[in-house]
Amino acid sequence: MKVPGGLSKTELFATGLCVALMSVALSNALDCYVCSYMDGDSDASCVNNASAVRVLNCTMKYCLTVRKELKRNASKVISFLRDCQDEPLINHGNRPDDTIRTYYTSCKQNLCNGHNGRTNNSTGGASGSGAQNAIIPGKSNAQKNCLWAWLLNLLWFQLIF
């Protein structure tokens, strides 16, 4: 049976389903700041001013920052990265070696990696020796549930027709 516009019911349904699934996929995309800085670069916006760097509509799960600084001079940033990844190497925390401390943070909210990369955890303890990290809430599961509902409706529709 043809509907107005010359499309069959199946073609109309397939078009609507594609639009719906694409909108769900786009709603799962995550906006992250992306940039990199190496010691000696003339532009330090990546380290000091996240709002001045590029924003990427990322299809991966996490926004992240990785900050490397000298242990003896914490204000000396050796390298800095804002990016997005499916699985960060380390979610939160730091790894010191003899001369460099590397801070890792990751999060699942739009533009959540705009901080300085060296966020202190308020529960670090009185001695200050606790791990430096950021506690950032993630996305809700509502978007995942919406996708499952669409898939179940598609299966139901295929069984009926």
Side-chain angles (χ1 to χ4, degrees), residues 2-161:
K2 295 282 185 181
V3 293
L7 295 174
S8 70
K9 283 174 111 177
T10 304
E11 292 169 329
L12 186 62
F13 173 75
T15 302
L17 181 63
C18 285
V19 169
L21 289 176
M22 285 174 33
S23 68
V24 168
L26 288 175
S27 69
N28 281 334
L30 189 60
D31 287 338
C32 299
Y33 294 108
V34 292
C35 62
S36 62
Y37 168 83
M38 295 293 291
D39 184 30
D41 287 354
S42 60
D43 182 8
S45 297
C46 187
V47 178
N48 302 320
N49 187 8
S51 62
V53 302
R54 192 173 125 216
V55 173
L56 177 68
N57 189 256
C58 184
T59 58
M60 297 185 191
K61 297 176 187 174
Y62 295 90
C63 294
L64 62 95
T65 61
V66 179
R67 176 187 176 120
K68 292 185 180 223
E69 61 187 36
L70 292 175
K71 283 178 79 173
R72 71 177 186 279
N73 181 3
S75 64
K76 178 73 168 171
V77 177
I78 301 300
S79 69
F80 197 95
L81 174 71
R82 298 182 195 278
D83 201 3
C84 58
Q85 291 182 356
D86 271 330
E87 277 301 321
L89 179 64
I90 297 174
N91 282 334
H92 305 292
N94 70 61
R95 284 198 176 164
D97 64 21
D98 291 341
T99 58
I100 296 174
R101 181 178 310 270
T102 305
Y103 294 88
Y104 300 90
T105 61
S106 60
C107 51
K108 291 185 175 184
Q109 293 179 329
N110 287 327
L111 304 178
C112 60
N113 65 335
H115 53 82
N116 68 3
R118 194 173 186 251
T119 330
N120 291 327
N121 179 1
S122 61
T123 61
S127 68
S129 62
Q132 309 294 316
N133 60 19
I135 309 275
I136 302 170
K139 276 187 172 178
S140 73
N141 285 329
Q143 291 173 337
K144 292 178 190 171
N145 294 339
C146 180
L147 180 59
W148 277 109
W150 275 104
L151 292 174
L152 289 174
N153 282 333
L154 174 63
L155 180 62
W156 176 79
F157 184 79
Q158 292 296 323
L159 291 173
I160 290 176
F161 295 100

